[in-house]
Amino acid sequence: MKKLLTLVFIFLYIVPSFSQEKDKFFTSLYKDFLKYGTVYGAGGISNSVEASEPTYFLRTNPDGSLYSIPDVVDNTEVFPFDYRYGFGIRKLARFDYERKPRNYYDGREEQLVFYAPTSAFTGLEYQFHYEKERWRGEDFTNYRFFLKHTGKYHIVKLQTREVGKINLNYNSAELRARLPIGKKFSFSAGAIVRGHERAYGYNPIEIWLNETEVINGTEYPVNYWYTLGYEYGYEDIFYTSTDENGNVTQDWCWVDSDGVQVAHSDLAFREKVMPSLMNRFNREAWDLLDPWVEVAPIVGMDFYHYDRNFWLHAYVNYILPAHKYIAGEEEFSYLNRNNWGKGGLIQDSELEQWHDYSAGISLGTKIGKNLGIFIEGEYSKMWDSKLYQTTFGLNYTFK
C-alpha cells in the first residue's frame, strides 16, 4: 500500500512539477539563447595566387654533353584553387553605427563586441564557428568559440580562436565587475586567464648555440653552428681546388643523407640550408613543451555616444604587469624572455613582468547634408605580437 501511495504521489506531484520545469527550461533556452540567433553555413571558391612571372630551369639529356642543346622546363609553382567552408551559430548585437555587411552571415564578420569591454545590449551573446580553408595549397582549420554576458554590474567573457594561416591560437576567460557612470561611460576591473601554445620569448636554437664551456681559461662554444647539420644527417667533405692561375682554395662541401650535394662551401651551407634546420630545431623543441596558462588583473574603459550625425565609441583594455603562470614550465615562459644568454639561463635572474593592452576607436560625423567622415582603428599588444588595423575615409552624397 505504501508503495502504491508513493507511486501516486510521484505521478501527481513530481511528474507535473518536472514537466513544468522542463517547459520553463526550454522557454528560457529559446528566450536567452536561440531567440534572435542565426544558424548559418557558408563557403567560397576563388583563384589562388599566381606567380608574377614564370620560372624556368634547364634540363640536359643524360646521354648528351653539358653543353648540348638543353630542354627549357617550366618550373613555375602552381597552387590549386583556394576554398573555405564553415558553419556555426551566432547571436551578436551590433552597435548603432555598425551595419550588417551583407544580407547573410558567413562567420567572418568582425564586430566590436569581440574586443570592447561592454556590448550594445545587456544579456547573452555568442558565436560558435568552425571552418576548413585551403590557402596557397595548404589546408588549415579555423574556429572561433565566443561567449559573453554583459550585465549592469558585471562582464563575463570566454573565447578560444584559431586562424591557421597566421598561426594564431588564443584562449581566454574574463570576469570583471562593471561600474556604469552615466549612460555613456563605464569602467570595469577583474581578472583574465589566458592560454597559449606558442613559446613567446623562448628561442631554443639561440640558447643551444650560446652554450659555452671554459677550457684553460678560454671560453668556447659547446655547439658549433655547423654541428647542427650533423644532427640532421648532413656531412661535410673537405676538398682542395686549384684554378687556372694556380690559386688554391680549400673548403668543405656539404651533402645530405642521400649523398646529394646541397652546398659547395661552409658559407653556402650556412646561408642556404641552416635557416630551415634552425626552424626545424625550434619546432621540435617547442613540441616538447606543454601549453602555458597565466592569470593577471585587467581593467577597462568604454565610452559610447551615438546620434544620426555624430558617433564616438572608444575603449581600452589594460592587462596589468602582475602575470602569474598556473600551467606550463615557468623557466621557458615569457617571464624569462630576456634572461637567456651565453651558457643558458642566467643564474639568479629576476622574472620580468610585462604590459599587454588593446585600444580602439570608431568615429563618424556628418558635415552638412552631403559629406560624411569616418575613422576606425584598433591597436593590440599581446606578448611579442602587435596587431593593428585602421580604416578611414569620407563619403559624399549628391542630392
Side-chain angles (χ1 to χ4, degrees):
M1 188 65 178
K2 289 183 179 180
K3 291 182 179 180
L4 181 59
L5 291 174
T6 302
L7 291 174
V8 172
F9 174 79
I10 292 174
F11 183 80
L12 293 177
Y13 293 95
I14 297 181
V15 172
S17 176
F18 174 76
S19 178
Q20 293 172 6
E21 290 300 322
K22 184 174 68 172
D23 291 340
K24 291 181 180 178
F25 170 77
F26 284 110
T27 301
S28 177
L29 176 65
Y30 174 75
K31 182 179 179 181
D32 295 336
F33 190 79
L34 296 177
K35 190 176 183 180
Y36 302 122
T38 302
V39 177
Y40 62 87
I45 297 175
S46 62
N47 293 96
S48 185
V49 64
E50 296 184 7
S52 59
E53 59 183 28
T55 302
Y56 302 101
F57 74 92
L58 302 180
R59 177 185 291 156
T60 303
N61 190 317
D63 298 329
S65 165
L66 176 64
Y67 303 100
S68 60
I69 299 175
D71 295 328
V72 179
V73 180
D74 188 344
N75 195 39
T76 307
E77 189 171 9
V78 178
F79 298 103
F81 63 87
D82 293 340
Y83 71 83
R84 60 171 292 270
Y85 64 88
F87 56 90
I89 181 172
R90 53 165 283 151
K91 179 184 175 182
L92 302 172
R94 297 189 301 271
F95 289 96
D96 295 309
Y97 58 85
E98 291 184 308
R99 297 291 182 263
K100 189 175 180 179
R102 294 175 295 272
N103 291 324
Y104 57 88
Y105 293 115
D106 67 3
R108 291 193 165 187
E109 296 80 15
E110 290 291 338
Q111 295 179 222
L112 280 185
V113 63
F114 296 126
Y115 314 108
T118 56
S119 294
F121 85 119
T122 57
L124 179 67
E125 298 174 273
Y126 61 84
Q127 181 181 33
F128 304 112
H129 175 76
Y130 179 87
E131 72 175 30
K132 288 287 189 178
E133 177 182 26
R134 182 167 70 194
W135 181 73
R136 299 193 68 174
E138 293 190 58
D139 294 322
F140 301 100
T141 297
N142 307 321
Y143 58 80
R144 169 180 261 159
F145 305 137
F146 175 84
L147 184 68
K148 183 177 183 180
H149 192 280
T150 304
K152 185 175 181 180
Y153 298 110
H154 74 268
I155 301 171
V156 179
K157 184 164 68 172
L158 307 172
Q159 62 178 325
T160 177
R161 189 181 185 191
E162 180 172 348
V163 182
K165 67 184 180 183
I166 62 172
N167 194 29
L168 173 65
N169 191 321
Y170 178 74
N171 309 281
S172 70
E174 297 179 40
L175 176 60
R176 305 194 205 183
R178 177 172 178 255
L179 177 63
I181 302 175
K183 295 182 178 181
K184 299 180 180 181
F185 183 84
S186 70
F187 177 81
S188 59
I192 181 171
V193 179
R194 299 186 293 172
H196 61 93
E197 296 181 2
R198 184 174 171 182
Y200 293 104
Y202 170 56
N203 187 353
I205 185 62
E206 182 180 18
I207 296 167
W208 187 77
L209 291 173
N210 282 337
E211 289 186 40
T212 60
E213 60 182 349
V214 178
I215 301 176
N216 297 326
T218 303
E219 188 176 43
Y220 296 94
V222 173
N223 306 300
Y224 287 89
W225 66 266
Y226 53 83
T227 60
L228 185 64
Y230 305 154
E231 296 287 332
Y232 293 108
Y234 292 89
E235 294 183 13
D236 53 350
I237 303 171
F238 181 76
Y239 70 91
T240 300
S241 64
T242 304
D243 64 18
E244 58 189 9
N245 297 318
N247 298 314
V248 178
T249 300
Q250 295 180 334
D251 213 317
W252 299 84
C253 123
W254 286 83
V255 297
D256 62 18
S257 58
D258 296 324
V260 178
Q261 181 175 323
V262 296
H264 66 276
S265 66
D266 274 349
L267 180 60
F269 183 79
R270 182 164 173 165
E271 291 181 345
K272 296 179 179 179
V273 182
M274 277 290 291
S276 63
L277 297 186
M278 293 165 68
N279 289 333
R280 179 179 173 183
F281 184 93
N282 276 350
R283 286 195 301 268
E284 293 175 355
W286 289 332
D287 287 344
L288 299 176
L289 300 174
D290 294 327
W292 290 268
V293 179
E294 55 105 349
V295 60
I298 184 172
V299 296
M301 179 278 295
D302 199 297
F303 177 83
Y304 179 59
H305 168 80
Y306 177 83
D307 61 44
R308 294 183 60 185
N309 296 319
F310 176 80
W311 73 82
L312 172 62
H313 188 184
Y315 67 89
V316 175
N317 295 298
Y318 175 53
I319 302 177
L320 281 67
H323 304 267
K324 173 66 177 177
Y325 279 92
I326 58 178
E329 297 182 61
E330 188 176 75
E331 177 181 353
F332 303 106
S333 73
Y334 198 64
L335 292 170
N336 270 323
R337 62 194 179 280
N338 294 320
N339 292 335
W340 298 94
K342 290 184 178 180
L345 188 65
I346 300 173
Q347 292 186 356
D348 302 323
S349 57
E350 295 185 4
L351 300 177
E352 185 179 348
Q353 290 289 342
W354 73 93
H355 305 260
D356 281 349
Y357 49 85
S358 65
I361 187 173
S362 180
L363 171 66
T365 184
K366 287 187 176 180
I367 302 175
K369 296 181 179 181
N370 304 82
L371 182 62
I373 299 175
F374 66 89
I375 301 172
E376 293 183 353
E378 184 188 44
Y379 185 92
S380 299
K381 185 264 179 187
M382 295 187 297
W383 300 290
D384 281 338
S385 298
K386 296 179 180 179
L387 309 173
Y388 55 90
Q389 58 181 1
T390 304
T391 303
F392 52 89
L394 58 85
N395 294 164
Y396 186 87
T397 305
F398 293 93
K399 298 277 187 174

